Amino acid sequence: MSFAQDVKKEIANLTLTPEALKAEVYGLTKVKADLIISLNKLRFEFHTSSLFVARRLTFLFRKLYNISVDILAKEVTKLNYKKVYYVSISQKAEEILKDLDLIDDALQIKEEISSKYDQHFDALLRGMFIGRGSVNDPKKSNYHLELVCHYPCESDYIITRLEEYGIYAKRIARKKGLVIYIKKAEQIGDFLKLIGAANMLFYFENERIKRDLNNVVNRMLNCDIANSDRS
């Protein structure tokens, strides 16, 4: 399992208040769900290759809305026969989306992030990261964390709110959407702390300290070698 998956697994098992859970499911649904209207019936669904994400979605909707959730597992040849889990919500779909403040009365998607979750920004961010976030393992590659959004207003909101915590993110447009990214190690650590990934934050900081120490030692050795050559 990758470092990013370990982070998601940790934050997907946190015990939260009902208000925080709703903010999490809002963030997850905002970036991950597909809205489908068929035969005058509305439903929305998620697809993920992570079983624990599918379980988290099932838990959230059952706990908050007391509904049955349909789950289908399918092997995908393009992913080397990896299983992809489809989590479908058809029961009370319109009622749930309106309660979350994701659609209006005309069933149009609201692009802006709802202000009703301003007090639970950490939980909202947690849901968005579980849905479409990733972070590199500090032991194996460069420092990099990213979060994918659909709309400019979403990314503007996230970037602005992160600044309140001293986390300065940037944005770039790619095929998969608008990518918010952070490259500074200290700020990636602050992000992990914000979303509640305490154990993975400890691992991240431990590897960062080792890496920084090795860099300092290497620079000192190179300097000594250079001075010796001059002598």
Side-chain angles (χ1 to χ4, degrees):
M1 188 178 288
S2 69
F3 176 66
Q5 293 289 354
D6 286 336
V7 172
K8 292 182 182 183
K9 190 171 184 179
E10 180 180 359
I11 63 178
N13 285 288
L14 296 176
T15 302
L16 305 168
T17 64
E19 293 79 11
L21 287 177
K22 185 172 284 190
E24 180 184 324
V25 78
Y26 171 85
L28 224 169
T29 306
K30 192 87 168 66
V31 298
K32 192 69 173 173
D34 294 319
L35 187 64
I36 302 166
I37 299 177
S38 177
L39 300 175
N40 295 324
K41 289 185 179 181
L42 176 69
R43 65 184 175 89
F44 59 100
E45 68 178 26
F46 307 80
H47 55 90
T48 176
S49 58
S50 299
L51 178 59
F52 67 85
V53 173
R55 286 175 172 170
R56 182 64 171 179
L57 286 164
T58 303
F59 163 76
L60 288 169
F61 284 105
R62 283 178 177 171
K63 183 172 181 63
L64 292 172
Y65 295 104
N66 192 28
I67 61 170
S68 59
V69 178
D70 300 319
I71 302 179
L72 173 67
K74 183 179 179 182
E75 287 186 344
V76 179
T77 55
K78 291 182 179 179
L79 297 176
N80 296 324
Y81 294 95
K82 226 180 189 181
K83 280 188 177 179
V84 174
Y85 300 93
Y86 293 84
V87 181
S88 181
I89 312 294
S90 54
Q91 186 181 356
K92 299 181 182 178
E94 183 177 338
E95 178 185 333
I96 291 171
L97 291 174
K98 286 182 177 178
D99 180 66
L100 290 172
D101 202 21
L102 284 164
I103 62 172
D104 58 24
D105 292 335
L107 305 185
Q108 296 298 310
I109 296 173
K110 293 184 177 181
E111 295 184 1
E112 299 82 4
I113 291 181
S114 175
S115 60
K116 69 186 287 186
Y117 303 104
D118 285 348
Q119 300 302 315
H120 295 283
F121 175 66
D122 56 336
L124 183 151
L125 193 65
R126 186 181 305 118
M128 296 180 78
F129 186 83
I130 292 173
R132 298 192 73 187
S134 66
V135 57
N136 289 350
D137 189 334
K139 193 174 183 179
K140 299 178 181 178
S141 58
N142 295 330
Y143 302 120
H144 185 84
L145 181 146
E146 65 179 41
L147 183 66
V148 183
C149 298
H150 293 298
Y151 309 108
C153 54
E154 287 179 341
S155 59
D156 289 342
Y157 176 87
I158 297 301
I159 290 171
T160 301
R161 290 302 308 271
L162 284 175
E163 287 180 0
E164 298 175 9
Y165 297 87
I167 303 171
Y168 299 94
K170 295 182 179 180
R171 180 179 68 189
I172 187 172
R174 293 184 184 154
K175 287 184 179 179
K176 59 183 176 181
L178 295 170
V179 179
I180 299 169
Y181 66 93
I182 305 167
K183 286 186 175 291
K184 290 187 177 181
E186 297 86 352
Q187 296 187 9
I188 291 175
D190 291 339
F191 185 99
L192 294 176
K193 180 181 178 181
L194 178 60
I195 63 175
N199 293 329
M200 299 316 298
L201 171 61
F202 178 79
Y203 169 86
F204 180 87
E205 292 294 350
N206 187 50
E207 292 302 325
R208 182 173 73 86
I209 291 169
K210 287 181 184 178
R211 189 168 171 177
D212 291 346
L213 181 59
N214 287 336
N215 289 338
V216 170
V217 171
N218 287 335
R219 282 197 297 269
M220 291 177 67
L221 286 174
N222 290 336
C223 184
D224 289 342
I225 291 170
N227 289 334
S228 178
D229 290 342
R230 289 194 192 96
S231 298

